[in-house]
Each structure stands twice: as C-alpha cells, then as structure tokens.
Amino acid sequence: MPMRERIRNLFRRNKRKRAASDYLEPHDEGGGNVQDNRSAEEDKEENKVEMLPPPPMEGEMPSYFHVGLLAKMCLIHGYTIGRWKLQCTSKTEKDFYLSSFGEGYPTWNTVYGGLEAYKESGNFHASLAWLSDGDLLSDLGVHGDGLGGTWSTVLKSMVSYPEGRKFQCKLKCGFDRNPGKVEMYIPIYKEPLLMGYIMMQPVKNYLLGYRTVFNVEDRDFNMHAFCGGYSNDVTEVGLKFENFKALRGSIFQRIGEKWAVALKANLYGNVSAKSVSIGGQYEWEPGSMLKAKVRGDSRIGLIFQKKLREDIEVLFHVGFEGSDPINGKHKFGSSWYFNM
C-alpha cells in the first residue's frame, strides 16, 4: 500500500469515532443513514474525504469502493470545509517509513494526530502507530501469489487506553484473481463487525458487486449493498443499492483533456437537497487543478489543488451559502501532504 494511503488510514481510524455513521470501514462513504441535523450531515460529508481508495494498480481488480471513484474524487476529495491538516511521510535507505499527521477543526483545542512506524521485508510488513486519543494500533501482514491470483492477510490489533486498556483484534483477508475479488474483515477479539465484499468484472469496463456488514454481537445484518458500475476513464457511471431502501448514483464525464463534470445524488430513499451534488474540474497541467461544486441546498465549494513537487501537494478550499454569499456562513481550510 502506498505510504500516503497508509497515513490516510490513520486518519480514517481516528475519524470513525467522530463520524455520523456507526458502520464505517476503511474507504467507506459514510454509510446509508441520513441525519436530519445539519451539523451532523455536514460532518458526515466532510468525513468522507479521506475515505477514498487509491486507484487500482495495473493488473489489480477494482474494489467495491472504486465504483463511482472518479465522481467522488471530483465532488468529495479536498472539500474538508473548516478543517486544516498536515501529513508527512519519510523513508530511510532500508525501506523503513516514519509517518505523522495532524488535524484540527477548526481551533487548537480540537487538534488530534498520530505517528506510525512501518517496515517491509519481502512479502511481510509490520507497523506500529500511536494516536493522540491514546490508541495504539499494530499491523502484521503477509501477501503472495497463489491459485492464479494474489492474496493478502493482515492481523490488525488495537489497544485503547482511554477505555481502560481495551484490546481489539481482527483479521483482514483478501484474494484477487481476475475477473473476481473478495475482501473480508473477520473479528477475532472484541470486534463486533464481520464485514466484506465480493466483486466481479463479467465484461471489460463493467463491475458488479455485493457488500455486507454483520454484527456478531447482535447477530444481525447492519448492511446489505449491491453495486454496479461502468468506467472507461472518460465516462463513469456508478449505482449502489443499500439495505433495499436507498439507491445512490453518480456520473463522471471528461470533456477533452482538461475539463470534466460530475453528478452525485440519492435517487431513492433518504432523498434531500443535501444529497445532490453537481460540479466540475479544470486541470491546466498535471497536478494543478481547480474544482467547484454546488449542493442541492445551495451550498457552494471551491478547491485549488497544486502539486508543488512530486512529493509535496497542497489544497486550499472555501465554502459558502449560495443563497446568501455575503452574510451566510463561510468556511475555509487547507491540506498539505509531504512524502519525502
């Protein structure tokens, strides 16, 4: 996994305690529950930002969370309105990585962050991370080739000191062989959720998938989700049907080499003005981009994204009420990424 994505996983772990949904897993979109409270809805929308997967590597099957990814990158990535954050990753000559992050919203007394040490050796890797809320996280993983595909297994553990040294442990398993992919999180100790998905690519550029979340403690399913998608890097269409109640869709379309437009909306169930977003982007050179979007409730966001060097990227963002741009609520934020 690229180191920038590993540090984002630490963000996700910390954010899950603050997210509106109870059933988030890495790269999740915020679950299917829509809150009536405006601040909860906005917090959930902002928490989606660091929960986007990296594009699949060459020869790798897309995951469940890649369906609609281009639209999400256009309409979600960078819109952490009101937040500031810094990320930094450094690498030694012996492939030993040290990463750190910090984030605040929007005052100093809400700052949190973490540190991670990560080491690879052949097909094995290990990591140890400390989060400012007192959690200690560790990963022990191995990957390899077999049965005509690639497989991976990671033992993930957590010790929560603020909760009386509570220990949790789960196993992440995955297998990827075109035209299929499966990934599961299996609870081992004090982990309540069994989660997983299966993806199929029956025809080139088309994806079909199913995802489930089962609460082992309550012996009940928290989620059933079906998805379908089409993508050829110019046009992308994605649909997700969750819990037989909510249908969400997205469209992304490139216009020439520099322009693109996107639309995301809840099509059925939990439909509200806030669940509709339309926007576009203009990339005048690789790594330099302007993005804009408007929600159905007239909330407007603007993004300036610039890659200063191959290992340094910055994003600035601003949001305001389109119905009252002068006297309405204004929010600003920034993100810096350092990968040395």
Side-chain angles (χ1 to χ4, degrees):
M1 176 184 294
M3 287 308 302
R4 178 168 168 180
E5 302 310 318
R6 290 196 57 80
I7 198 67
R8 285 184 175 184
N9 279 331
L10 294 184
F11 270 116
R12 297 185 190 107
R13 169 62 189 88
N14 211 311
K15 284 187 176 183
R16 284 210 294 270
K17 295 184 177 181
R18 301 164 171 82
S21 171
D22 293 329
Y23 310 128
L24 295 180
E25 68 174 279
H27 315 315
D28 206 345
E29 301 171 21
N33 300 324
V34 174
Q35 306 294 325
D36 293 329
N37 181 273
R38 179 181 178 84
S39 62
E41 177 68 22
E42 289 183 348
D43 286 345
K44 188 172 76 170
E45 183 73 19
E46 291 167 1
N47 275 327
K48 297 176 183 178
V49 175
E50 293 300 336
M51 299 175 183
L52 300 179
M57 294 183 292
E58 185 176 354
E60 181 185 15
M61 269 282 296
S63 73
Y64 174 90
F65 307 100
H66 284 98
V67 174
L69 178 63
L70 295 178
K72 287 183 281 189
M73 290 297 295
C74 179
L75 297 173
I76 294 178
H77 177 61
Y79 288 97
T80 46
I81 304 302
R83 295 185 185 272
W84 63 264
K85 64 175 168 282
L86 294 170
Q87 296 180 205
C88 182
T89 299
S90 59
K91 174 186 175 182
T92 69
E93 295 180 356
K94 297 183 179 180
D95 293 335
F96 184 82
Y97 296 86
L98 292 175
S99 301
S100 62
F101 73 85
E103 179 167 330
Y105 179 72
T107 60
W108 287 105
N109 60 359
T110 58
V111 172
Y112 63 92
L115 302 169
E116 183 195 41
Y118 174 81
K119 172 64 177 177
E120 286 184 346
S121 179
N123 291 342
F124 298 87
H125 77 265
S127 71
L128 180 65
W130 170 84
L131 302 181
S132 59
D133 57 8
D135 290 349
L136 289 176
L137 312 178
S138 66
D139 283 6
L140 291 173
V142 60
H143 66 274
D145 299 327
L147 301 177
T150 60
W151 57 268
S152 63
T153 302
V154 183
L155 182 66
K156 307 177 76 69
S157 303
M158 180 186 71
V159 178
S160 298
Y161 284 90
E163 302 176 9
R165 295 187 181 181
K166 180 181 178 182
F167 176 74
Q168 294 175 275
C169 185
K170 61 185 176 183
L171 189 67
K172 176 184 176 182
C173 301
F175 181 73
D176 186 329
R177 179 183 177 182
N178 203 335
K181 183 185 185 81
V182 62
E183 188 171 278
M184 294 186 66
Y185 285 81
I186 303 172
I188 295 179
Y189 184 77
K190 296 295 184 178
E191 281 282 354
L193 302 180
L194 171 66
M195 303 180 291
Y197 67 82
I198 183 170
M199 294 294 296
M200 296 297 296
Q201 192 174 45
V203 184
K204 184 180 179 180
N205 298 331
Y206 288 87
L207 288 172
L208 295 174
Y210 168 74
R211 179 191 171 206
T212 188
V213 178
F214 181 75
N215 192 311
V216 178
E217 294 180 350
D218 298 336
R219 297 184 180 180
D220 188 26
F221 284 95
N222 292 341
M223 173 181 281
H224 295 283
F226 300 88
C227 73
Y230 169 81
S231 177
N232 62 4
D233 293 329
V234 175
T235 301
E236 176 195 78
V237 179
L239 286 173
K240 290 187 177 180
F241 186 47
E242 299 177 344
N243 293 331
F244 308 104
K245 297 179 180 179
L247 178 65
R248 297 186 289 111
S250 66
I251 299 174
F252 178 90
Q253 178 65 51
R254 297 191 187 276
I255 304 173
E257 296 182 356
K258 297 183 178 182
W259 293 89
V261 294
L263 168 69
K264 282 182 91 282
N266 287 4
L267 305 175
Y268 175 79
N270 295 332
V271 176
S272 68
K274 299 174 186 176
S275 66
V276 179
S277 296
I278 185 170
Q281 63 188 41
Y282 172 70
E283 187 174 18
W284 66 90
E285 63 181 35
S288 299
M289 186 182 298
L290 287 173
K291 298 195 294 186
K293 78 169 181 178
V294 58
R295 282 195 330 210
D297 61 351
S298 79
R299 185 74 183 172
I300 296 175
L302 302 172
I303 296 286
F304 171 74
Q305 182 175 332
K306 176 69 174 178
K307 182 171 286 189
L308 303 180
R309 296 185 347 193
E310 186 63 28
D311 51 6
I312 301 178
E313 184 178 356
V314 59
L315 292 89
F316 297 102
H317 40 265
V318 59
F320 57 92
E321 302 289 344
S323 58
D324 189 0
I326 303 300
N327 300 315
K329 185 185 296 184
H330 297 76
K331 293 186 177 181
F332 304 87
S334 65
S335 304
W336 288 78
Y337 302 93
F338 301 90
N339 298 277
M340 305 301 184

